[in-house]
Amino acid sequence: MRISMTPTATADDVEHLVRALQAAGCEPHVRHTAQRTVVAAIGGDIGDVSALAGVEQITPLTKPYKLASAELTSGEQTVLEIGDQRIGAGHFALIAGPCTVESREQLLVTADVVRDGGATMLRGGAYKPRTSPYSFQGLGLEGLALLAAAKARTGLPIVTELLDVRDIDAVMEVADVVQIGARNMQNYALLTEIGRTRTPVMIKRGLAATLEELLMASEYVLKGGNEAVILCERGIRTFETAYRFTLDLTAIPVLKSLTHLPVIVDPSHAAGRRDLVQPLSLAAAAAGADGIMVEVHPDPEHAVCDGPQALHTEEFSEFAALVERAAALAGKELVAA
Ligand code: PEP
Ligand code: MN
């Protein structure tokens, strides 16, 4: 159930309600929105709390993803603060960088170019989920140190992947946004552990995951008290073989109607081809995505991984300017870092 408090409800009123819900065997989650405080009561029978001080209205949360649901916030969208950047509602994020951190030079050159071109965050994997165990697996701690150097140099917040719960402390030290890759979307132990932190997390949709499964994955993080979740559409498996994955653009407006969480799109992994990245990015931004994440490399022909889908550093600023215009069509503003 969703219990909304009156605008004048005090912190004591909220605490009293929380204790009453706990006594009734419910799990209460308090959320402060711009307008008012809302308490989600999960499980159990909430008993008679309607007469408690400060309680305004009690409505059911009908979806299985209670905390991710748009019902919880009555349609108000979540805005996350990441460094001095924002994402959600009218704030658009442009996340760019290499697939994987390869060397100091490769990362710093790319970081400078994407910062100057208008990116709001820098991406780059130090731990890589690779289909083949014989492929490059990432530079690990060395990669994280290079990401820290790139952040110190450019001021860009860092988005980087956590593959294994054993690396959580090292990754959290550098990451402003922890990426959970498509292959780990249903790694519930990992999601639960991230729910215990307060570091923003981006969850990528699994290769064959439904939107409800993606939202349930986010619920694992939200349940732990970490409210800073971003969802990422990155293409799904279909019968089509002309490109790597099918970018599900319909997921953008549908997710926006189901959840208050920011929704971004990764056209690079969907396309698998550089020439498709720009049209897909523009379509996603115009369709109302809260951000785009793209791969960029100074020498894609010699990239260690995902070279064919990486934008050349030289083409990034023109690309960013077009994305900014497409985002504006959907009423979103890209404010460079
Ligand atoms: C990535 O973003 O580098 C990545 C591996 O993506 P995905 O998990 O979507 O395949
Ligand atoms: Mn990649």
Side-chain angles (χ1 to χ4, degrees), residues 96-109:
C99 177
T100 186
V101 180
E102 296 170 20
S103 68
R104 173 173 288 268
E105 154 125 43
Q106 171 248 15
L107 182 65
L108 297 188
V109 166

Side-chain angles (χ1 to χ4, degrees), residues 163-300:
L163 266 187
D164 184 326
V165 83
R166 287 171 294 187
D167 302 316
I168 194 165
D169 292 337
V171 170
M172 293 288 178
E173 212 166 293
V174 175
D176 295 285
V177 178
V178 173
Q179 176 174 321
I180 297 300
R183 290 152 192 85
N184 263 323
M185 188 202 86
Q186 290 181 312
N187 183 336
Y188 298 123
L190 192 55
L191 295 168
T192 299
E193 214 48 56
I194 287 169
R196 294 203 174 104
T197 78
R198 294 297 174 264
T199 302
V201 53
M202 176 211 297
I203 306 176
K204 300 188 81 173
R205 183 181 183 182
L207 313 191
T210 64
L211 296 182
E212 183 160 309
E213 286 165 340
L214 174 60
L215 289 162
M216 292 310 287
S218 78
E219 193 77 6
Y220 270 86
V221 177
L222 297 167
K223 181 180 187 300
N226 186 347
E227 294 184 3
V229 181
I230 300 164
L231 304 174
C232 180
E233 161 60 32
R234 48 78 71 210
I236 50 174
R237 274 242 157 91
T238 67
F239 52 80
E240 186 52 72
T241 54
Y243 39 83
R244 199 172 178 189
F245 294 95
T246 299
L247 185 64
D248 180 9
L249 288 174
T250 314
I252 304 165
V254 171
L255 281 172
K256 302 243 82 173
S257 71
L258 296 177
T259 181
H260 54 86
L261 298 172
V263 176
I264 71 163
V265 169
D266 169 356
S268 303
H269 289 88
R273 276 168 42 188
R274 182 176 311 117
D275 62 316
L276 302 179
V277 170
Q278 182 170 301
L280 294 179
S281 299
L282 299 183
D290 297 300
I292 296 286
M293 180 165 81
V294 285
E295 291 187 341
V296 181
H297 197 285
D299 183 12

